[in-house]
Amino acid sequence: MTADENQLMLRVVDGDRHAFVQLVEAHLRPLEVFATRMLADAAEAQDVAQETLLRLWQRAAAFDPQRGRLSTWLHQIAHNLCIDRLRKLRRVSNWNESLDDTPAPAVDTLVDERHKAVSMALSHLPERQRSALLLTYYQDLTNREVAGIMGISIRALESLLVRSRAALKQSLEETV
């Protein structure tokens, strides 16, 4: 975490709304992008990003800069919220067999068919594999940070990434 973010967090703990707005401006878009890729639903992703930042406001005092960067802490919150929503959606889908199993299309405007294919392949990965790939490659977090977010060892994360890349590759080869 930068010194500026550290100062902003201290101000947020004291209830400074201006400092909070500055943190929202810095972190809202990356959180929305991550959640959109996890959930393939813009409205749900916006809800997750907003809930994440609401928790930043409510629980600012719980953040410990010695344990990691602010972006890692926020991604951990967003990750957990996404997993909760995916599980809830799965339960609702099981109750209503008439629901279509195909995920909603990704919201981001995808420039070419390759991006569409990758997005579709990602959406079909199991949630843990998708989350590991997105946090590592799209959110530019370190393996240590991703392992912490997911609550697994670095070695387990590396193994998960190997399986994720293999599954993604296989899925992409099947669409070609």
Side-chain angles (χ1 to χ4, degrees):
M1 179 158 94
T2 66
D4 289 341
E5 278 191 338
N6 193 23
Q7 290 302 313
L8 289 173
M9 283 299 293
L10 292 173
R11 289 173 42 202
V12 169
V13 169
D14 290 335
D16 185 332
R17 292 175 189 257
H18 180 69
F20 176 69
V21 168
Q22 288 180 277
L23 290 172
V24 167
E25 289 172 353
H27 294 281
L28 178 62
R29 182 67 184 142
L31 292 170
E32 283 180 340
V33 168
F34 169 70
T36 299
R37 288 182 173 135
M38 278 295 292
L39 302 171
D41 182 313
E44 288 289 324
Q46 288 173 347
D47 287 348
V48 164
Q50 290 174 9
E51 177 67 21
T52 300
L53 292 168
L54 177 62
R55 290 185 184 186
L56 165 68
W57 175 256
Q58 294 170 333
R59 302 176 185 168
F63 174 70
D64 180 2
Q66 301 301 318
R67 295 186 63 200
R69 298 183 312 175
L70 178 60
S71 64
T72 303
W73 188 62
L74 292 173
H75 277 86
Q76 182 174 23
I77 294 168
H79 171 265
N80 292 338
L81 290 170
C82 286
I83 297 302
D84 290 347
R85 287 178 188 252
L86 288 168
R87 288 178 181 157
K88 180 180 178 183
L89 179 63
R90 194 174 308 125
R91 283 193 307 270
V92 170
S93 294
N94 289 339
W95 289 338
N96 185 354
E97 293 179 7
S98 66
L99 291 178
D100 188 358
D101 286 339
T102 57
V107 172
D108 290 345
T109 303
L110 300 175
V111 179
D112 61 82
E113 291 301 314
R114 189 177 318 173
H115 287 141
K116 288 179 186 177
V118 170
S119 292
M120 187 56 71
L122 279 169
S123 72
H124 289 294
L125 288 176
E127 62 192 33
R128 286 175 53 81
Q129 290 182 5
R130 180 171 57 242
S131 191
L133 284 174
L134 292 175
L135 289 168
T136 302
Y137 296 110
Y138 287 90
Q139 301 306 113
D140 292 325
L141 298 173
T142 66
N143 283 3
R144 173 170 285 165
E145 291 169 327
V146 174
I149 288 169
M150 297 184 70
I152 58 178
S153 69
I154 294 173
R155 188 175 186 123
L157 172 67
E158 291 168 349
S159 176
L160 184 60
L161 286 170
V162 168
R163 289 192 313 275
S164 303
R165 288 188 298 260
L168 187 63
K169 179 181 176 187
Q170 180 180 355
S171 179
L172 289 171
E173 287 173 348
E174 290 172 0
T175 61
V176 175

